[in-house]
Amino acid sequence: MSIQDNLKQITEVLPAHCKLVAVSKTHSPESILEAYSCGQRHFGENKVQELLPKYEALPKDICWHMVGHLQTNKVKYIAPFIYMIHSVDSFKLLEEINKHALKSNRIIHCLLQIHIADEETKYGLSYDEAKEILESTALQTMQNVCIKGFMGMATHTDDRTKIRTEFRNLCYFYRNCKEIYNGSNIDISELSMGMSGDYDIAIEEGSTLIRVGSSIFGDRMYNR
Ligand SMILES: *Cc1c(COP(=O)(O)O)cnc(C)c1O
């Protein structure tokens, strides 16, 4: 199947409130352009050093999403153009994003990454740590970031019931936070969950942003 066919298959099942972020990591600018020519504008990358040359080479109306772990010392490279950072997993990182967003005279949309999986290796905050950030007075002074919601990755398992439970709990947390947290730089309206293997479940459980790579571009040379 072609990139075009794959995109069509996914967008056909996408509800109106849910957007597709095409995760293009390891794939060539040519493949990205193929998706672009089908109308796809939101793309995701997980490494700064891979994102920068792609940003330089490709059309400037692409909205770039950072979906992978982000080191504080790399924030300065993407702050001038990044559309959304899905992987905010510490207050320190948020401060760094705010600092460089200010220098670029921008407001950068951020998602707090929540650790919802069983695996030890995955980054992310606990629900309590995320609440701590949302309630902190220090956040109120950081006017160049806006917290738009949450991102989560389910456990890598064939147990679809387990995946569904993890997504459902995250969505419950998201809806609760949407009710209780308000501020000039808090606007909880996005829930980033669902990848190639589980985006159908994620959509059913309330996702507003699915991050799909291999189902669009084919297999990668390495695993996530
Ligand atoms: C690679 C990656 C994806 C996409 O994974 P696929 O299984 O290829 O769809 C989504 N989110 C994050 C954070 C990733 O690193």
Side-chain angles (χ1 to χ4, degrees), residues 23 25 46 67-68 151 153 195-197 211-215 220 224:
V23 179
K25 64 190 189 199
N46 72 336
V67 300
M151 185 268 259
M153 287 167 86
M195 305 174 33
S196 290
R211 310 175 312 274
V212 180
S214 40
S215 289
R220 287 182 296 275
R224 66 185 169 119

Side-chain angles (χ1 to χ4, degrees), residues 193-221:
M193 57 184 201
M195 305 174 33
S196 290
D198 55 24
Y199 70 82
D200 55 330
I201 307 176
I203 290 170
E204 285 168 8
E205 296 302 330
S207 175
T208 71
L209 285 171
I210 56 169
R211 310 175 312 274
V212 180
S214 40
S215 289
I216 297 170
F217 297 107
D219 286 338
R220 287 182 296 275
M221 298 309 278

Side-chain angles (χ1 to χ4, degrees), residues 38-215:
C38 303
Q40 181 66 29
R41 289 296 178 272
H42 291 263
F43 291 89
E45 289 283 335
N46 72 336
K47 289 197 172 77
V48 171
Q49 65 267 33
E50 191 178 337
L51 170 55
L52 293 177
K54 286 177 174 172
Y55 165 72
E56 292 297 336
L58 290 161
K60 291 298 174 281
D61 64 339
I62 287 179
C63 300
W64 289 103
H65 295 246
M66 183 67 201
V67 300
H69 181 66
L70 179 59
Q71 287 171 273
T72 50
N73 61 357
K74 303 246 171 87
V75 172
K76 57 175 177 285
Y77 302 113
I78 62 170
F81 68 89
I82 199 77
Y83 177 79
M84 184 178 271
I85 298 173
H86 292 228
S87 45
V88 176
D89 58 1
S90 73
F91 195 80
K92 194 171 140 244
L93 179 58
L94 200 58
E95 282 180 310
E96 195 69 11
I97 295 167
N98 185 62
K99 185 174 110 187
H100 291 287
L102 177 63
K103 283 185 186 170
S104 295
N105 194 27
R106 301 184 67 222
I107 292 168
I108 296 180
H109 291 175
C110 294
L111 304 179
L112 300 179
Q113 183 177 351
I114 311 289
H115 184 113
I116 59 170
D118 268 352
E119 288 109 346
E120 284 291 327
T121 52
K122 284 180 186 162
Y123 296 101
L125 303 158
S126 67
Y127 289 120
D128 283 344
E129 287 167 337
K131 284 193 159 191
E132 245 173 68
I133 290 177
L134 289 165
E135 286 166 12
S136 75
T137 50
L139 177 65
Q140 294 168 20
T141 66
M142 293 160 55
Q143 290 300 323
N144 290 79
V145 290
C146 183
I147 298 190
K148 300 293 285 184
F150 308 101
M151 185 268 259
M153 287 167 86
T155 302
H156 195 63
T157 174
D158 291 334
D159 184 349
R160 308 220 352 133
T161 306
K162 181 175 174 59
I163 294 170
R164 186 177 295 281
T165 303
E166 290 171 355
F167 284 157
R168 187 167 293 182
N169 289 338
L170 181 57
C171 189
Y172 181 80
F173 178 75
Y174 159 74
R175 289 191 174 141
N176 184 244
C177 289
K178 203 177 160 80
E179 291 280 313
I180 60 180
Y181 295 114
N182 272 296
S184 57
N185 58 356
I186 303 176
D187 173 29
I188 309 287
S189 51
E190 299 288 356
L191 180 57
S192 168
M193 57 184 201
M195 305 174 33
S196 290
D198 55 24
Y199 70 82
D200 55 330
I201 307 176
I203 290 170
E204 285 168 8
E205 296 302 330
S207 175
T208 71
L209 285 171
I210 56 169
R211 310 175 312 274
V212 180
S214 40
S215 289

